[in-house]
Amino acid sequence: MRLSNNLIYQNNINKMLENQQGVASAQERVTTGKKYLTASEAPADTSQAMLYSNKIQANEQFTKNINQLSGRLETQEAVLQSANNNIQAAKDIALKAGNGAYSQDDLKSLASELSEIQKSLANLMNTRSEDGKYIFAGYQDSIQPYQQDASGKYTYQGDQGQHKITIAQGVSIKSSDNGFDTFEKVDARLDIASNSGDATSTLAGTAYVDKQGVFDQFHKTSYNADPAASVTANTFNVVVTAGANPGDPNEYEILRDGASLSPAVTGEVTEEPIAFAGMKIQLAGTTPGQFDFSLQKPQKENVLNTLQGLINGLNDGTLNSNDFQQVLNDGVVQLQNASEQVVFTQANLGGRMNVLSSITDSNTAQDIQNKANRSSLIEVDMAKAISDLTKQETALQASQATFGRLTNLSLFDYL
């Protein structure tokens, strides 16, 4: 009888302990939200869940990178838009300066406006990012990219590097545009080397570009850029010869490096300028001789130096009308080219921002899927967990009630 009673007591105690453990386990699952309390309960699911956790963690870093990249691109976009607005304002002033009714004081006032625009542009081109780095300096982002030398000319101190930020597995996007590509690759106005002709001329005269579009086409198709070409490969000669008979007007022919053009360009010399390839060539006198001029080598010029040339020209009251017009022509053409280069950079920037938006959406979708997959593996179904906890508590209460009844039993209960 004693053995039987002891066995009954021990079995009920074990059952209560088991039910208490069940309640504790169910309670912990509800509290922690974990389906498994130890990895040994489901090694395969736990291992797979860890892989999803790694992906989620990596995605969190990508999200931080995306936010950083987005901020930098938005800053650069605002800077470029402001720069373009300033360039357009400067171009309007250059066009306005061509009004022949303006006095020298008026022109100096316009030059003062351009000086303020130049300062604003210099500040924009030397913009820093949120961490103090110069955004248009390339890899040399601790050095101010645009600085004035002793002569007052603005020179670029950066390089052609472009920083990148990784925003997804195997996907990196440029986070900056260097000043070389944005501001230095601006074509200067195509022109001739000297408006007063080359030193080899035996006739005095002047040559000015009169129709820029016509001259640009001529220059692009005619200029010899071969380094091995002779030094006179881009020199043109206006050769004046006496008329065929006494009293006949002198005649001219335009040669290239001493050779006739095809078709030949000839005519009579008059007091009117010679029109040729978008140029007006004015000879001083009608005596036989030769006026030489050369095509200028294509060049690049940043907008700050273009503005400086305009400012100097507007402040200089000694220029004749032709030379003053050349200053304005340089400014208008080069400001337009600078604007187009900035717009081109903005277009590339917009493309990167579109990619960034697409990758952001993709990363968000992947993050949601990874979390859902991990949840299905190791996170508890709360409704089921609460139901299990209720069952465990009911079983414990039943075992406790049963044990209570057993402890109150006596021999008389069996009679």
Side-chain angles (χ1 to χ4, degrees), residues 30-77:
V30 170
T31 303
T32 63
K34 295 179 180 180
K35 183 186 295 186
Y36 308 114
L37 300 181
T38 63
S40 60
E41 291 183 54
D45 286 355
T46 303
S47 176
Q48 187 66 33
M50 290 178 65
L51 294 178
Y52 283 120
S53 294
N54 290 339
K55 291 181 180 181
I56 292 168
Q57 186 176 8
N59 220 29
E60 289 174 354
Q61 183 58 55
F62 289 145
T63 299
K64 292 178 182 178
N65 291 353
I66 285 172
N67 293 335
Q68 181 185 39
L69 177 60
S70 179
R72 291 190 178 183
L73 295 183
E74 288 173 1
T75 296
Q76 185 176 317
E77 182 183 39

Side-chain angles (χ1 to χ4, degrees), residues 11-32:
N11 285 342
N12 276 275
I13 290 173
N14 289 342
K15 189 62 176 176
M16 277 197 304
L17 291 175
E18 180 183 337
N19 288 337
Q20 285 176 340
Q21 181 61 39
V23 169
S25 177
Q27 181 65 56
E28 187 172 356
R29 293 177 203 276
V30 170
T31 303
T32 63

Side-chain angles (χ1 to χ4, degrees), residues 180-201:
F180 182 86
D181 292 332
T182 308
F183 305 114
E184 295 296 306
K185 292 172 67 174
V186 177
D187 292 330
R189 184 175 75 96
L190 295 176
D191 202 354
I192 59 176
S194 172
N195 297 120
S196 59
D198 296 350
T200 55
S201 299

Side-chain angles (χ1 to χ4, degrees), residues 223-237:
Y223 186 80
N224 188 342
D226 186 352
S230 69
V231 294
T232 56
N234 293 300
T235 299
F236 289 79
N237 325 104

Side-chain angles (χ1 to χ4, degrees), residues 125-292:
M125 292 159 70
N126 288 324
T127 298
R128 296 174 186 249
S129 62
E130 72 283 354
D131 57 356
K133 302 294 186 181
Y134 291 99
I135 66 174
F136 293 117
Y139 295 141
Q140 309 301 317
D141 52 16
S142 61
I143 300 173
Q144 181 176 310
Y146 281 94
Q147 302 178 29
Q148 282 182 291
D149 59 22
S151 67
K153 186 180 180 68
Y154 284 90
T155 58
Y156 180 58
Q157 305 296 316
D159 58 27
Q160 298 181 51
Q162 286 183 284
H163 293 290
K164 294 182 178 181
I165 294 179
T166 301
I167 60 171
Q169 188 66 38
V171 180
S172 297
I173 291 183
K174 295 173 183 176
S175 62
S176 65
D177 288 281
N178 58 69
F180 182 86
D181 292 332
T182 308
F183 305 114
E184 295 296 306
K185 292 172 67 174
V186 177
D187 292 330
R189 184 175 75 96
L190 295 176
D191 202 354
I192 59 176
S194 172
N195 297 120
S196 59
D198 296 350
T200 55
S201 299
T202 59
L203 283 177
T206 58
Y208 288 94
V209 175
D210 179 56
K211 297 178 180 178
Q212 192 67 48
V214 175
F215 178 79
D216 287 351
Q217 187 61 35
F218 170 74
H219 192 292
K220 291 173 182 177
T221 57
S222 302
Y223 186 80
N224 188 342
D226 186 352
S230 69
V231 294
T232 56
N234 293 300
T235 299
F236 289 79
N237 325 104
V238 183
V239 179
V240 178
T241 57
N245 300 305
D248 288 347
N250 290 342
E251 298 178 349
Y252 71 85
E253 181 178 7
I254 298 181
L255 312 176
R256 175 170 185 163
D257 197 15
S260 296
L261 300 177
S262 180
V265 178
T266 60
E268 293 182 351
V269 178
T270 68
E271 294 182 356
E272 295 298 316
I274 298 169
F276 171 66
M279 293 174 280
K280 282 187 176 180
I281 303 169
Q282 182 69 63
L283 301 177
T286 58
T287 59
Q290 184 171 306
F291 176 79
D292 298 333

Side-chain angles (χ1 to χ4, degrees), residues 347-389:
N348 286 336
L349 180 63
R352 277 178 273 157
M353 295 181 79
N354 288 337
V355 172
L356 177 61
S357 177
S358 176
I359 294 297
T360 300
D361 292 342
S362 176
N363 281 2
T364 300
Q366 288 182 29
D367 196 48
I368 292 172
Q369 187 60 51
N370 288 334
K371 288 179 178 179
N373 291 340
R374 184 182 65 177
S375 175
S376 67
L377 291 170
I378 61 170
E379 292 182 13
V380 72
D381 180 339
M382 194 56 67
K384 182 177 183 303
I386 292 174
S387 176
D388 289 342
L389 175 60

